[in-house]
Amino acid sequence: RKEEIEEKKKEIAQQQSKSTRYISVKVRKVIHQEHGIKCSYPGCIRSARTLHHTQRFALANAHDPHFIAPLCEAHHEIAHKIDVKYVEIANRFS
């Protein structure tokens, strides 16, 4: 099963061109197959509410499923708070 998911992820990553911010159904499905509906943070049992780009979308401009993780609200917030550059930019607009 893991090998099948990895092959799908590779195929999707290779097919991508310039992306919009919309995460395609193909990407969502493979992430769902890999992680289910739960947060991907180890030990967390909460439902995932967000698909988080572990590689900043603004820099990569792609929805590579290798760099997307489903996170609950709390872990998504933590992921952004530890990203110093994200916090710096967010503070400019608040």
Side-chain angles (χ1 to χ4, degrees):
R1 181 168 180 249
K2 286 183 180 184
E3 290 171 358
E4 181 184 326
I5 290 171
E6 185 58 32
E7 282 301 313
K8 285 181 185 178
K9 288 168 74 173
K10 283 181 185 177
E11 182 182 316
I12 291 168
Q14 290 173 350
Q15 291 175 353
Q16 289 196 23
S17 57
K18 281 280 193 195
S19 293
T20 64
R21 288 212 168 257
Y22 174 75
I23 298 175
S24 72
V25 172
K26 274 186 184 179
V27 173
R28 291 175 185 273
K29 280 185 178 180
V30 76
I31 297 300
H32 180 72
Q33 284 178 332
E34 184 175 18
H35 298 282
I37 61 170
K38 298 293 181 195
C39 178
S40 63
Y41 190 83
C44 185
I45 59 170
R46 291 178 272 197
S47 295
R49 298 281 185 220
T50 305
L51 292 178
H52 176 71
H53 289 83
T54 59
Q55 182 182 62
R56 271 195 221 131
F57 177 79
L59 299 176
N61 201 24
H63 300 294
D64 185 335
H66 292 99
F67 302 105
I68 295 179
L71 296 175
C72 65
E73 290 179 38
H75 285 117
H76 186 242
E77 188 175 323
I78 291 168
H80 282 286
K81 294 222 187 255
I82 62 173
D83 183 346
V84 176
K85 190 68 172 172
Y86 177 85
V87 172
E88 194 176 284
I89 292 168
N91 286 338
R92 287 187 204 162
F93 295 102
S94 55

